[in-house]
Amino acid sequence: MKPIKSSLENECCPLNEAEEVLKGMGFSYGGNWDYDHGYFDYKLDDEVGYTFLRIPFQAIDGQLDKKDTTIQFGEPFLLAHKYQVGLDDNAETGNISGSFNQFSEPQDPDATVDQKWISIAKELVKKTETALLN
C-alpha cells in the first residue's frame, strides 16, 4: 500500500455527485464496502495481479445505500496484489472443496507498487481533485 497525499482528504460532498464524477472518470465502487464506508477504485493494472488507486470514503450523514448521503473522503492510496503463479500448494481436492476453493492463495497480498503506477496515480488524483473540488 502506498498513500498518495491529496487535498481530497477530509473533504465532504454528496455521494451521488461523487459517484457521477468518479464513475465518469473510470472509477467503480470497490468490492469491500459497508453501509458506513467504502472505496472508489480505479484499476491501473491487472497483468500478474492488480494495482488499484483507491479513494476511501465514509458516510457522515446517512448510509451508502441512499443517494442523498454525504460522504467524507480519506487519503487515497495505491494497492497492489500479486497472484500466485502455478498451482496452490494448499489446495484441497474433491467435489465439495473444489466447488468452494477454486482460487489460489495470493503470492503477495500487499505487493510493492511499481514506480510507474505511483506517478500515474498522482496525476489521476490531481484530475480527481479538480473534478470534485472545483
Side-chain angles (χ1 to χ4, degrees):
M1 187 176 88
K2 170 76 175 149
I4 306 288
K5 293 290 180 200
S6 172
S7 57
L8 280 177
E9 190 173 1
N10 296 318
E11 289 292 327
C12 300
C13 78
L15 174 62
N16 60 334
E17 288 179 23
E19 181 179 14
E20 183 178 328
V21 169
L22 292 173
K23 283 189 173 185
M25 295 177 67
F27 283 85
S28 62
Y29 279 120
N32 192 14
W33 67 275
D34 207 339
Y35 289 101
D36 64 342
H37 68 279
Y39 303 95
F40 285 108
D41 286 350
Y42 189 97
K43 186 188 294 186
L44 296 167
D45 180 38
D46 65 357
E47 194 167 311
V48 229
Y50 58 76
T51 303
F52 280 99
L53 170 61
R54 181 165 268 188
I55 302 175
F57 61 91
Q58 65 181 14
I60 58 171
D61 178 27
Q63 293 185 333
L64 298 183
D65 61 342
K66 308 285 187 228
K67 293 293 183 187
D68 61 344
T69 298
T70 300
I71 60 170
Q72 181 177 36
F73 292 105
E75 182 179 46
F77 60 93
L78 279 168
L79 178 66
H81 176 101
K82 298 286 186 221
Y83 299 129
Q84 182 173 354
V85 177
L87 299 175
D88 188 350
D89 296 334
N90 299 316
E92 297 177 27
T93 59
N95 292 335
I96 303 295
S97 65
S99 298
F100 295 103
N101 301 323
Q102 299 176 29
F103 305 101
S104 62
E105 290 294 316
Q107 179 182 359
D108 189 352
D110 194 16
T112 303
V113 177
D114 189 314
Q115 187 64 37
K116 72 178 178 181
W117 300 123
I118 295 172
S119 58
I120 291 170
K122 285 180 180 180
E123 187 61 34
L124 187 55
V125 166
K126 286 180 188 176
K127 289 179 182 178
T128 304
E129 291 167 348
T130 300
L132 286 171
L133 301 179
N134 292 326

